[in-house]
Amino acid sequence: MTEVELAIIGAGPAGMAAAVLADELGLDTVLIDEQGAPGGQIYRAIERVAPDTPLGADYLAGRPLAAALRASRVDYRPNTVLWHADPEGVLFLATAGRTATLTARRILLATGALERPVPIPGWTLPGVMTAGAAQSVLKSSGLVPEGRVVLAGQGPLLYLVVAQLARAGAPPAALFETAPLENYLAAARPVAGLWAGRRRLLEGLGLIAAVKRAGVPIRRGMRGLRAVGRRRLERVAWEGGELAADYLLLHEGVIPNVQIGLALQLRHEWDEAQLCWRPAVDAWGQTSLPNIAVAGDGGGISGAGAAVLTGRLAALDAALWLGRIAAAERDRRAAPIRAALDRERAFRPALDRLCRPARPVMVPAEDDVIACRCEEVPVGTVRRAARLGAQGPNQIKAFTRCGMGPCQGRICGPVVAAIIADTLGKPIAEIGTWRPRAPFAPITLGALADLEAADFAPQVDS
Amino acid sequence: MFRPRPEGPGAAVAVSIEGRTVTVPVGTSAAAAVLAAGFDSIRETPVEGCERGPYCMMGVCFDCLAEIDGAANQRSCMIEVQPGMRISRQIRARTIDPEAG
């Protein structure tokens, strides 16, 4: 079995930055990623970016990262799925139906974020997608949605996608903002962070101005959003009105992608400011297991700029852990990175308050809204199971099949936990989360059978 | 449907979607190609037989499952189009043909 010093999972900003620095520090590094090219979600298709890209300057920041990765000695493995990892560091990979194993002395999870599920009535209709989904399509292939496009929700990405679609020649018909008015008041409270985080604040204000310049109408304080249609989306309705629409692009912020960390049983904490689970880590990204660290948004949402920095900190710590550098050198090299990280994160508390999802986003009011898209389980079924005595997500799974479909609870997890918490009158932190298991992504029996017998041999210390 | 942005790279890869030939830009995912071909839905769900389209486009939600070059249950948003690729909608649960081996 191949043995490496450091295996990094995910080639987004954190993974790319960590891999490049780890290579510089002389670590034998492998970088595993599901996509065909480096960049992650934020810098998707960055190597093919057109000179006249409508995606903007922030997107182009990913280009030097990808170039540095290509110039390094990192063993970069695209189109590769990690479907099982054991806590001792044995990784099971699948590439184009073939299986391979790898032993890593240290693992860095840089699995990024995913968009928070937005379980409104009709969210399973064709024509309803996430705002990030439309952005991904624009990044990979320059395709844009045609017809009357409505974006709804809140958060910086929502405004960014509206501005990008407008620049790409497809201005949306409307932007519906769902942030409650009290969020604006709460966000304005800590004036301290605003100055240190002024760059991010100005970026946000610039986005709002760009949306207005594009002539896209903004409606604030929208409540009771519904996607309506028979076989596909036909219109978007809200408390007090409706609008014919071909596409509804939803976005209520992003949450860490914790699937692999949960499967590895890393200790996780409920983040009440960001309303999500994240792995418990120290200032270097070190998790509750000695050989596993986390970097980037997978460890808590701070954005791509911070992800690069936490990736570098994790690489420095890995070099210390693997005996390449002394603690003094790690700390010396980390000091400027930490200063930059403080600046990146300064505006985050205000942003978290501004972008805190409204209660109906977390817990749908209507019993007939689909909670689990894969197994097609409505909210009411989850509520009934909770009343019957299912105390947490893992019991709900057995009662209702929620989380047993192909997405393995990645989408319905937050929804189901919030419904149970609401039904039982307990905090979500007490309700807990799924315990996902391998395979992390579906693999065929053929891929499994491809494993060589030697890969199963128990590791015996000689 | 989805269309190339006016100043974009233009369509260059010919694929077959439900037997119809469609040309899409390089780098397009199979899921986006289905949308570019004018289809709203990409699959019918196993439980209720409902129409579904791609939702997350990043390999998380599994709502874009499709049959690609004869292999069922593929996350079509994670697979880039190749010339001549055959993409079909996934109707309900995957069936296994015992004769196919």
Side-chain angles (χ1 to χ4, degrees):
Chain A
M1 198 183 301
T2 316
E3 204 170 313
V4 297
E5 288 185 298
L6 177 64
I8 302 172
I9 316 302
M16 289 191 291
V20 169
L21 181 53
D23 178 52
E24 246 176 70
L25 294 165
L27 303 185
D28 177 18
T29 304
V30 56
L31 175 60
I32 291 150
D33 192 64
E34 275 194 321
Q35 290 191 48
Q41 299 308 326
I42 187 122
Y43 301 133
R44 176 188 280 270
I46 189 69
E47 293 176 315
R48 286 192 287 105
V49 61
D52 66 331
T53 180
L55 294 163
D58 259 14
Y59 175 66
L60 292 174
R63 221 162 24 168
L65 281 172
L69 172 66
R70 293 289 191 185
S72 72
R73 289 161 302 175
V74 172
D75 176 6
Y76 164 56
R77 301 197 190 176
N79 295 312
T80 301
V81 173
L82 173 72
W83 55 267
H84 179 49
D86 72 24
E88 286 74 43
V90 184
L91 306 178
F92 293 76
L93 311 170
T95 308
R98 298 302 304 264
T99 302
T101 55
L102 184 71
T103 303
R105 288 185 61 198
R106 194 168 174 80
I107 300 170
L108 176 61
L109 299 174
T111 51
L114 50 95
E115 289 176 279
R116 185 188 293 284
V118 190
I120 61 168
W123 72 310
T124 51
L125 282 172
V128 181
M129 301 168 80
T130 68
Q135 193 197 38
S136 286
V137 174
L138 178 59
K139 284 174 181 170
S140 331
S141 50
L143 296 172
V144 290
E146 197 165 43
R148 293 151 302 186
V149 180
V150 175
L151 283 94
Q154 42 93 19
L157 184 73
L158 190 72
Y159 282 82
L160 177 63
V161 174
V162 169
Q164 289 172 334
L165 287 175
R167 280 202 294 268
L175 191 166
F176 292 167
E177 164 133 7
T178 56
L181 179 64
E182 57 263 28
N183 283 16
Y184 284 91
L185 302 175
R189 227 183 325 118
V191 183
L194 293 184
W195 176 247
R198 61 193 179 280
R199 193 169 141 240
R200 296 284 169 224
L201 174 63
L202 288 174
E203 269 172 23
L205 294 174
L207 276 179
I208 296 170
V211 169
K212 287 188 172 154
R213 264 199 316 280
V216 179
I218 302 174
R219 293 181 69 125
R220 291 214 165 80
M222 297 296 271
R223 287 154 49 137
L225 274 180
R226 280 177 297 134
V228 186
R230 281 180 56 80
R231 288 169 67 89
R232 82 174 314 285
L233 176 75
E234 291 164 18
R235 55 191 197 279
V236 179
W238 62 92
E239 268 178 29
E242 60 173 43
L243 184 69
D246 297 296
Y247 283 98
L248 172 62
L249 307 177
L250 299 168
H251 181 76
E252 290 280 352
V254 297
I255 55 177
N257 184 352
V258 290
Q259 196 82 359
I260 294 172
L262 287 175
L264 283 165
Q265 293 187 280
L266 304 179
R267 196 160 68 78
H268 281 68
E269 292 166 343
W270 175 255
D271 185 328
E272 185 56 31
Q274 299 192 334
L275 295 176
C276 60
W277 289 96
R278 57 173 168 73
V281 291
D282 72 8
W284 303 95
Q286 173 68 55
T287 69
S288 56
L289 286 182
N291 58 329
I292 301 179
V294 172
D297 273 358
I301 304 303
S302 290
V308 168
L309 301 169
T310 54
R312 287 185 183 139
L313 292 175
L316 289 173
D317 198 42
L320 170 70
W321 201 82
L322 290 159
R324 291 305 165 86
I325 57 174
E329 188 186 350
R330 178 197 66 168
D331 295 347
R332 182 181 58 76
R333 295 182 67 145
I337 303 175
R338 291 211 183 280
L341 188 58
D342 287 346
R343 285 193 297 277
E344 278 293 330
R345 285 178 170 163
F347 186 49
R348 188 57 53 173
L351 196 59
D352 287 342
R353 279 189 286 270
L354 180 64
C355 299
R356 195 176 172 82
R359 195 184 145 70
V361 172
M362 301 291 288
V363 186
E366 303 87 344
D367 268 355
D368 58 348
V369 174
I370 294 285
C372 169
R373 297 172 65 99
C374 295
E375 293 292 330
E376 298 164 79
V377 182
V379 169
T381 303
V382 180
R383 277 198 190 282
R384 267 196 305 282
R387 282 196 204 102
L388 280 171
Q391 296 292 309
N394 295 305
Q395 279 180 309
I396 288 287
K397 201 188 240 185
F399 275 59
T400 67
R401 292 197 58 82
C402 266
M404 291 179 80
C407 99
Q408 298 172 292
R410 285 170 171 86
I411 300 287
C412 68
V415 183
V416 167
I419 297 167
I420 302 169
D422 182 63
T423 306
L424 301 180
K426 289 182 177 175
I428 296 178
E430 269 178 46
I431 297 300
T433 181
W434 309 122
R435 160 95 166 86
R437 286 173 176 79
F440 308 147
I443 53 164
T444 60
L445 283 172
L448 197 60
D450 197 41
L451 274 177
E452 287 181 28
D455 293 334
F456 284 115
Q459 305 271 306
V460 182
D461 292 330
S462 50
Chain B
M1 70 186 279
F2 275 59
R3 60 172 168 85
R5 70 182 173 95
E7 312 290 321
V13 183
V15 294
S16 159
I17 297 172
E18 293 283 306
R20 183 143 57 87
T21 301
V22 179
T23 312
V24 293
V26 172
T28 303
S29 67
V34 170
L35 297 177
F39 290 94
D40 288 324
S41 106
I42 200 163
R43 69 178 186 120
E44 282 175 22
T45 57
V47 183
E48 310 264 351
C50 294
E51 305 273 353
R52 285 282 171 88
Y55 175 73
C56 79
M57 282 288 187
M58 57 175 278
V60 173
C61 77
F62 290 73
D63 252 325
C64 68
L65 292 181
E67 196 178 300
I68 297 177
D69 288 335
N73 278 350
Q74 301 296 303
R75 284 185 286 173
S76 59
C77 72
M78 298 296 285
I79 298 173
E80 204 174 295
V81 291
Q82 304 296 333
M85 181 180 271
R86 289 170 294 118
I87 306 164
S88 311
R89 285 159 27 92
Q90 171 93 36
I91 306 302
R92 300 243 171 174
R94 173 196 182 194
T95 50
I96 296 173
D97 177 4
E99 301 301 310

